[in-house]
Amino acid sequence: MERFNNKKILLSFLIAIPFLFGGFVSNETMMPAFRMKKIVLDAGHGGKDPGNIGSKSREKDINLAVTLLVGKYIKENLPDVEVIYTRDDDSFPTVQERPRIANINKADLFVSIHSNSAANKSAYGTETFVMGTKHFEANFDIVKRENSVILLEENYQENYEGFDPTSPESYMMFNLMSKAYIGNSLTLADHIETQFRDRVGRKSRGVKQGPFYVLWTPSMPSVLVELGFLSNTEEEKFLMSQAGKEYMASAIYRSIKEYKEQIEIN
């Protein structure tokens, strides 16, 4: 009987512990909430690399203008988020340096902004890529074009350990990629394409995967955004206009805001 009573006393004490000491341990101490604190915005191309050339525009200029606007909107409306640019002028950071900036600064998000082009002048619309090799053959032209920027760099053969952006065989290395951030990357990419389609009224070509070198090494969720086709006269005109740049930048900003709110709740 005495042993039974002792067990009851011990059980009652164990049950009471959370109530006795719970008030002295905050929920945040027990399980700190995630907060998105840093984002790296990457304006594709720059300097000696103009990127795609339209009839009246250069990709590097449109990319930079939209990227700076995205950063401006984040600073104005999300003051708790630090914005870091891979370039804020007409400079030429290498393909290796861009994600390295994000890794060194321990960023929570990496967004690379580009403008598209195609031999078919009627092609138009937005698309957002995450790192992956799904439908590689279908997307190889754009992947090859973006990755071929490394050929403009000094000592690229040594720096990229023989990687040839024009050779499909070289892309076997990307099969060793980490899948750790694919879910969050897809979430942000979907927000971006939804904003482009529903809020700006652009044709969305969807969320896609591609083995872009700039998306291979970031240690955080990462996306590459294609704003539209400079080879399409009407789309080029839209992207060259100040209103067009502001619409696209605000859509990307809203997507980042939605993504931030979503991951900070979960």
Side-chain angles (χ1 to χ4, degrees):
M1 185 68 178
E2 182 178 352
R3 182 180 297 178
F4 177 74
N5 288 334
N6 288 340
K7 285 185 177 180
K8 284 182 65 178
I9 293 170
L10 178 60
L11 181 60
S12 299
F13 178 74
L14 292 173
I15 293 173
I17 285 176
F19 298 96
L20 291 171
F21 298 101
F24 298 98
V25 182
S26 69
N27 289 334
E28 291 186 0
T29 302
M30 295 174 67
M31 187 176 293
F34 173 79
R35 292 291 180 265
M36 195 179 84
K37 298 178 180 178
K38 292 182 184 179
I39 178 171
V40 168
L41 299 178
D42 173 45
H45 307 279
K48 62 183 177 181
D49 172 26
N52 292 313
I53 304 293
S55 61
K56 298 179 180 180
S57 65
R58 298 179 299 183
E59 180 186 357
K60 68 174 184 177
D61 300 326
I62 290 175
N63 297 347
L64 180 60
V66 172
T67 299
L68 293 177
L69 281 171
V70 175
K72 175 177 178 286
Y73 298 150
I74 292 174
K75 291 176 182 178
E76 289 175 349
N77 299 287
L78 300 174
D80 57 326
V81 177
E82 179 183 356
V83 176
I84 301 168
Y85 300 105
T86 59
R87 70 180 182 99
D88 57 9
D89 55 18
D90 191 23
S91 55
F92 178 64
T94 67
V95 172
Q96 281 185 331
E97 288 170 343
R98 296 169 189 267
R100 186 181 298 148
I101 290 170
N103 289 336
I104 289 174
N105 285 280
K106 298 181 180 179
D108 300 305
L109 200 61
F110 178 83
V111 178
S112 188
I113 296 175
H114 293 254
S115 305
N116 219 332
S117 183
N120 179 3
K121 305 297 183 183
S122 63
Y124 71 102
T126 67
E127 47 195 10
T128 300
F129 287 86
V130 300
M131 182 63 203
T133 55
K134 188 177 181 180
H135 303 309
F136 171 69
E137 294 80 6
N139 298 325
F140 182 60
D141 284 345
I142 183 173
V143 169
K144 178 175 64 175
R145 186 165 62 247
E146 296 293 357
N147 286 336
S148 291
V149 173
I150 72 173
L151 303 180
L152 298 176
E153 301 174 19
E154 297 180 3
N155 302 320
Y156 74 87
Q157 291 175 319
E158 178 181 347
N159 292 337
Y160 294 89
E161 300 177 341
F163 172 69
D164 179 1
T166 66
S167 170
E169 289 74 21
S170 283
Y171 289 85
M172 292 178 64
M173 62 186 283
F174 290 101
N175 290 326
L176 303 176
M177 59 165 282
S178 169
K179 301 283 187 179
Y181 305 104
I182 186 68
N184 281 2
S185 299
L186 285 168
T187 296
L188 175 60
D190 184 65
H191 283 321
I192 291 172
E193 286 302 309
T194 299
Q195 284 285 336
F196 284 159
R197 182 186 66 241
D198 296 348
R199 294 293 295 276
V200 190
R202 310 308 294 169
K203 175 189 176 183
S204 170
R205 297 165 66 94
V207 174
K208 301 180 179 181
Q209 292 187 17
F212 295 94
Y213 204 101
V214 76
L215 295 181
W216 189 41
T217 54
S219 299
M220 73 281 308
S222 308
V223 298
L224 187 148
V225 182
E226 294 285 358
L227 300 169
F229 286 78
L230 300 184
S231 49
N232 181 292
T233 303
E234 289 303 313
E235 198 149 53
E236 178 190 30
K237 182 179 179 181
F238 173 76
L239 292 174
M240 286 182 66
S241 70
Q242 185 59 28
K245 294 184 183 75
E246 290 174 356
Y247 280 133
M248 300 304 278
S250 61
I252 296 172
Y253 154 70
R254 285 193 300 270
S255 303
I256 292 169
K257 181 175 181 289
E258 288 179 2
Y259 169 83
K260 179 179 185 294
E261 292 172 348
Q262 182 175 349
I263 62 172
E264 288 183 352
I265 289 174
N266 296 333

